[in-house]
Amino acid sequence: MNTIRKLLMACMLIGGLGVASALLAAEINLPELGVNPAQAKAARAQEGLKRDAICTRCHDETETKPVLSIYQTKHGVRGDSRSPTCQSCHGDSEKHLAGDKDGKGRPATDIVFKKGVYAASDEKDRASQCLTCHKGGKRTNWDGGKHEQNGMACNDCHQVHQPADKLLSKKTQAEVCFTCHKEQRADTHKISTHPIDAGKVTCSDCHNPHGGVGPKLLKKNTVNETCFTCHAEKRGPFLWEHQPATEDCTNCHTPHGSNLTPLLKNRPPFLCDDCHDGPHNSQAPYGTGAAGLQGGLIGATPVSPATKVNPNTSASGRACMNCHVMVHGSNSPAGALLHR
Amino acid sequence: MSFKFNMLLASTVTALVLSSGAYAAVDEEAARALAQQNNCFKCHAINKDKDGPSYHKVAEKYKGKPEALDKLVNHVTSGEKAKFPDGHEEEHKIIKTSPAKDMAQIKNLIQWVLAQ
């Protein structure tokens, strides 16, 4: 009995060993991870820096105007394969690298963006450098747009080598536009204005300086559409429309600033008198008890819905809007006179 | 010993001390400003070689040489040829000072370079 048991044990052991060895001999199959993405980025960064070193060998931190601060911007993210190198924008500039061969001074780089030692390049060349990457999107209508037609290029407004481009922040953007658009700067200092100085609204909230389909480089197709992006309650549709408001906000308003709140070109009643004359235009003097009429109300008594009561302009205190409140349009069944 | 002798000794020593410009203190700020103005740092860095040798190298090369000051002043004021690392030669830039040709400023600059 013992022998058989021993034999059985031995067989089990040998069997177990066989299985174990079979398992151990199997290949360990783990999935391939491929290249470490962090290492790939680091390699790209070093490659980019090597290419930049062609230029930063001389143009280093001793430059009077900062160039290395571009590395603090999105253009300087070396780990991103889309990032440009110095030569991507300024051109390969073999002549500049060769030095002063003929005693006439070192030749200019292929593209010169700002006038300094060398004259600036033509605006088309300067713009095309940026547009190689930044084409489309908001710049779809650059060609033929007002700024392009006036001989401007991207770097006339944008600062690429500064750590923060003033144009990219609401608080500082308007200042850049105002360097040329001085009238608008003056307008924002009037009594009634969009909160541009407060940094809440800026030029690019309404305008697309790169070129737009609307008039005056507006973002949207028409003036009204642009205004409605914020002032949606004026859009309508209204039961009773005020036609000049529906047609063009700037019939009455001037968007940059005015001394007449709210951003009006003219004050009532003169504003309204631009289109509306009589029945309020009576020049007749009025007074309490004058000819039995009270408060300058011209028209027959008794007052009834059928009788049109037309307050004399002088009596209404030139305050058309005391009664005609809903100047942008009304949905009230009260009627087309925009009272409610 | 005599008063006359002492005076003679004192005046000689003073003259010697005042004549040797090397003992005058180097105005580092003024030197750097002049270098920046004249774009010296475009080709010369203090510790690394660009198109021109580093100032450290220059100082090493001319250490202890009494003719260093005059040679280098001539180098930056005469427009003599300078050799570039790729072999070609160009006229070295002539330093401009305000007021023009102010030797004291140029000397100060060279002394600062030699002290790097």
Side-chain angles (χ1 to χ4, degrees):
Chain A
M1 277 311 266
N2 263 347
T3 335
I4 296 173
R5 233 188 239 164
K6 274 189 193 154
L7 219 66
L8 261 167
M9 291 286 281
C11 282
M12 271 172 30
L13 262 167
I14 294 167
L17 272 167
V19 171
S21 63
L23 277 169
L24 279 165
E27 292 266 312
I28 301 175
N29 282 321
L30 286 176
E32 271 298 313
L33 289 174
V35 182
N36 180 347
Q39 278 177 340
K41 272 209 177 125
R44 254 202 302 276
Q46 289 306 313
E47 206 185 289
L49 281 169
K50 263 200 211 92
R51 275 204 292 274
D52 282 350
I54 299 171
C55 310
T56 57
R57 188 174 144 263
C58 295
H59 294 283
D60 56 13
E61 62 275 2
T62 56
E63 285 287 307
T64 36
K65 288 197 184 137
V67 292
L68 296 181
S69 43
I70 196 172
Y71 289 116
Q72 291 175 271
T73 69
K74 294 240 169 91
H75 281 121
V77 178
R78 295 265 67 85
D80 191 334
S81 55
R82 298 170 299 174
S83 291
T85 59
C86 309
Q87 289 165 311
S88 311
C89 299
H90 292 275
D92 284 336
S93 309
E94 299 287 328
K95 291 209 184 108
H96 181 78
L97 288 167
D100 182 6
K101 294 274 163 82
D102 54 7
K104 292 190 187 146
R106 190 181 278 262
T109 49
D110 291 346
I111 309 278
V112 179
F113 284 100
K114 273 225 149 74
K115 180 176 173 300
V117 176
Y118 310 115
S121 300
D122 183 58
E123 64 268 5
K124 280 206 178 18
D125 294 328
R126 285 188 281 135
S128 64
Q129 292 299 95
C130 312
L131 289 170
T132 45
C133 294
H134 295 281
K135 60 174 170 280
K138 290 192 187 150
R139 290 145 303 274
T140 312
N141 296 305
W142 171 253
D143 273 322
K146 249 311 194 299
H147 282 136
E148 189 259 339
Q149 290 292 299
N150 278 296
M152 290 179 71
C154 317
N155 75 299
D156 288 324
C157 300
H158 287 282
Q159 297 161 312
V160 178
H161 277 278
Q162 301 284 352
D165 187 354
K166 284 208 187 113
L167 283 175
L168 298 179
S169 158
K170 266 198 212 248
K171 291 200 168 70
T172 50
Q173 185 187 102
E175 199 52 49
V176 182
C177 307
F178 290 159
T179 47
C180 293
H181 297 281
K182 298 182 164 135
E183 206 180 293
Q184 279 67 29
R185 187 213 298 274
D187 282 342
T188 53
H189 294 144
K190 291 182 177 167
I191 292 173
S192 168
T193 174
H194 280 109
I196 294 174
D197 271 352
K200 297 289 183 188
V201 164
T202 187
C203 312
S204 63
D205 285 328
C206 298
H207 296 279
N208 180 358
H210 304 109
V213 287
K216 308 268 183 184
L217 292 177
L218 286 175
K219 281 166 93 160
K220 299 278 182 176
N221 295 321
T222 63
V223 173
N224 282 31
E225 256 186 74
T226 311
C227 304
F228 296 155
T229 52
C230 291
H231 301 282
E233 73 281 4
K234 307 290 188 292
R235 181 177 71 100
F238 295 110
L239 197 55
W240 315 108
E241 281 182 350
H242 189 202
Q243 192 269 338
T246 321
E247 176 192 325
D248 187 354
C249 307
T250 58
N251 278 336
C252 300
H253 293 286
T254 171
H256 297 115
S258 164
N259 282 325
L260 307 170
T261 50
L263 286 173
L264 289 174
K265 287 158 105 168
N266 219 343
R267 55 163 64 85
F270 310 111
L271 178 65
C272 320
D273 281 350
D274 282 347
C275 295
H276 298 281
D277 47 11
H280 297 316
N281 237 341
S282 166
Q283 307 298 311
Y286 82 102
T288 48
L293 295 169
Q294 196 179 41
L297 290 171
I298 335 156
T301 49
V303 171
S304 75
T307 315
K308 285 196 177 14
V309 175
N310 298 309
N312 179 306
T313 311
S314 313
S316 59
R318 305 177 173 196
C320 320
M321 291 182 61
N322 276 4
C323 298
H324 297 282
V325 179
M326 307 296 287
V327 289
H328 296 107
S330 166
N331 283 326
S332 163
L337 294 176
L338 303 175
H339 286 148
R340 285 198 276 278
Chain B
M1 258 122 20
S2 71
F3 177 71
K4 256 193 189 167
F5 176 75
N6 275 341
M7 282 307 289
L8 197 64
L9 193 65
S11 54
T12 320
V13 169
T14 319
L16 273 171
V17 168
L18 286 174
S19 64
S20 62
Y23 287 98
V26 170
D27 185 351
E28 170 153 5
E29 243 183 72
R32 272 187 190 267
L34 187 64
Q36 186 76 44
Q37 251 180 325
N38 282 283
N39 295 320
C40 304
F41 293 122
K42 286 229 158 91
C43 295
H44 294 283
I46 296 177
N47 280 316
K48 93 181 146 133
D49 285 340
K50 292 187 188 179
D51 276 340
S54 70
Y55 287 145
H56 187 68
K57 237 190 208 166
V58 172
E60 290 273 304
K61 182 177 174 191
Y62 287 98
K63 203 176 212 146
K65 295 201 179 140
E67 74 273 17
L69 183 64
D70 288 325
K71 201 164 179 214
L72 289 175
V73 168
N74 182 54
H75 183 64
V76 299
T77 53
S78 63
E80 66 181 20
K81 290 275 181 189
K83 203 162 190 199
F84 275 59
D86 65 353
H88 84 275
E89 279 187 351
E90 279 178 38
E91 281 178 19
H92 193 277
K93 181 185 161 81
I94 298 173
I95 290 197
K96 288 197 187 80
T97 56
S98 66
K101 299 212 179 120
D102 184 354
M103 273 300 147
Q105 281 187 42
I106 297 177
K107 277 201 178 132
N108 180 55
L109 172 63
I110 301 297
Q111 279 160 0
W112 174 75
V113 168
L114 290 169
Q116 294 312 302

